[in-house]
Amino acid sequence: MRDGAEAMNAVEVRQVAKQYRRFGRRKSFGTLKSAFLSGSLFGSLQPKEVFHALRGVSVDIEQGRTFGVIGRNGSGKSTLLKLIAGIGKPTSGTVTVHGRVSALIELGAGFHPEISGRDNVYINGMMLGLSRRDIAARFDDIVRFAELEEFIDAPVKTYSSGMYMRLGFAVAINVDPDVLLVDEVLAVGDEAFTHKCLDKFADLRRRGKTIVLVTHSLDLVQRFCDEALWLDGGLARLHGDPKRVIDAYLLDVADSEARQLARAAGSGPRAVMPDHGTDLRTGELPDMSKAAEGRWGSREAEIVGVVLERPDGTPAQTFQSGDPVAIRLRVHAPRPLQDFVFGVGIFNAEGTCCYGTNTQIEGAEPGELSGDAEAVLHIDRLDLVDGTYKLDVAVHKQNGVPYDYHRLMHTFRVTSRVKDTGIYRPPHRWTFSGGVRVAGV
């Protein structure tokens, strides 16, 4: 029997390494026939070098969490997902998964092109552990979700890439998995179907299912994932709060681009590393598995003060629900910048984002930021329920690379005589008619 702490994990990856051998031939053959007749085809194949796809990666994914994996192409993301899915075994280390796994890893994977979509649904369902009766009970839901009612009896070789993806996703989510693995395939769907998939992700999360998502869509990871892992060259560079992991990744990408430009110009590179207290290049970063207070960025522009104010300009930390509030950011830029965005996010005590915006979203075009400056977000009505809230504030580039990011560092309180629940408290009133009498409302 596993202990309570371990029982919380849906996936456990322990010091996993995966290596692939690259083979080369010492001589070439004119034809395949001559290669076999010579009897030296396999003897001429020699392992030239070993490619390390993963290097000692360890991570625990708790049940009911949505977990994002990001990184450059070739960083080991898909390899990790395939090992979790049981497609291949690690060279060393262990991967343990608890519950039924459903994987949507490659477009069309598991589909036979010569047979119909209907037959492929049954074959895929059986491969995922369902009986024929179970599949028949879910078949209409699968086809309806995939939007393939008119094409389900056609051979899948006639399907477009979007149709492949829709059918694969519909099968994967309708087998009622405990762990759903998704690898970038949503990129081929249209906007409407992508929204439908994201709604389904939200439904799976509410039902306590675990989702592991490999994607280059950093916005998707930030909006939907509880945790994120950044892989780089097979190494786990950072794991934890998605916003912090994404910003660290963007800073590293920007640093790499700066070094490439510097080499092209014949000058030395300029390191732009986030302020995590530890050099990202060592890979020895703290595990920030929960959203936590912190500050990072290149500091090319710095937020030197954050003040919440009443309409008369008086600083305050407590507001009545529905009060106006101004959030004033005092900023200093030692050198002029032409690429900048100001942003503010409001979070409740549970870490749920109540509202977030920035000047880029609002359509503002940056001109110049230089020396001492202020940016003020005016909120006409702070329609939040009674509770304690925290702010994210940031100044960053238009591509998201942060100059200075304050994560949950500024706290304020909203009070209300009515102790309603939720997050948002819209202006409202009750009216009654007919055979009902109510007093005091």
Side-chain angles (χ1 to χ4, degrees), residues 373-405:
E374 291 188 350
V376 184
L377 173 64
H378 297 273
I379 300 175
D380 294 336
R381 292 184 58 94
L382 193 62
D383 289 321
L384 299 173
V385 301
D386 185 280
T388 299
Y389 296 85
K390 294 198 172 189
L391 292 177
D392 276 16
V393 296
V395 55
H396 56 80
K397 292 185 178 181
Q398 293 177 88
N399 65 2
V401 176
Y403 295 130
D404 195 3
Y405 197 105

Side-chain angles (χ1 to χ4, degrees), residues 319-323 325 346-348 352-355 379 381-391 412-418 420-427:
F319 300 86
Q320 283 284 331
S321 180
D323 280 354
V325 61
I346 301 174
F347 294 78
N348 68 5
T352 302
C353 182
C354 306
Y355 179 69
I379 300 175
R381 292 184 58 94
L382 193 62
D383 289 321
L384 299 173
V385 301
D386 185 280
T388 299
Y389 296 85
K390 294 198 172 189
L391 292 177
F412 67 97
R413 173 86 180 152
V414 174
T415 61
S416 173
R417 66 176 182 84
V418 180
D420 34 16
T421 61
I423 297 173
Y424 174 54
R425 190 171 196 276

Side-chain angles (χ1 to χ4, degrees), residues 276-354:
H276 287 293
T278 306
D279 192 335
L280 267 176
R281 300 183 195 279
T282 67
E284 299 176 355
L285 287 167
D287 178 7
M288 296 168 289
S289 59
K290 309 293 183 186
E293 293 182 6
R295 184 179 185 182
W296 59 88
S298 66
R299 305 294 173 86
E300 293 169 83
E302 187 173 0
I303 299 173
V304 296
V306 178
V307 181
L308 283 78
E309 299 175 347
R310 301 188 189 280
D312 61 2
T314 304
Q317 296 298 121
T318 302
F319 300 86
Q320 283 284 331
S321 180
D323 280 354
V325 61
I327 302 172
R328 185 178 302 275
L329 310 184
R330 295 183 177 133
V331 182
H332 178 73
R335 291 179 295 181
L337 299 171
Q338 284 74 45
D339 183 0
F340 58 90
V341 176
F342 298 102
V344 173
I346 301 174
F347 294 78
N348 68 5
E350 287 75 38
T352 302
C353 182
C354 306

Side-chain angles (χ1 to χ4, degrees), residues 162-243:
M163 294 165 74
Y164 259 114
M165 188 276 292
R166 296 202 304 270
L167 186 60
F169 189 89
V171 173
I173 61 173
N174 279 285
V175 299
D176 195 26
D178 298 301
V179 180
L180 176 65
L181 310 177
V182 183
D183 186 1
E184 200 59 77
V185 294
L186 295 182
V188 301
D190 60 25
E191 191 74 11
F193 189 78
T194 298
H195 288 159
K196 188 194 290 191
C197 293
L198 297 179
D199 289 343
K200 192 64 179 180
F201 282 163
D203 177 62
L204 291 171
R205 291 179 67 184
R206 285 192 295 269
R207 292 163 51 200
K209 307 298 184 179
T210 304
I211 302 170
V212 183
L213 177 67
V214 167
T215 181
H216 289 288
S217 175
L218 302 182
D219 179 63
L220 186 65
V221 173
Q222 185 173 326
R223 284 190 295 137
F224 283 92
C225 293
D226 303 301
E227 299 178 50
L229 172 68
W230 168 23
L231 290 178
D232 187 21
L235 292 170
R237 288 283 292 273
L238 188 60
H239 165 220
D241 175 19
K243 179 58 183 174

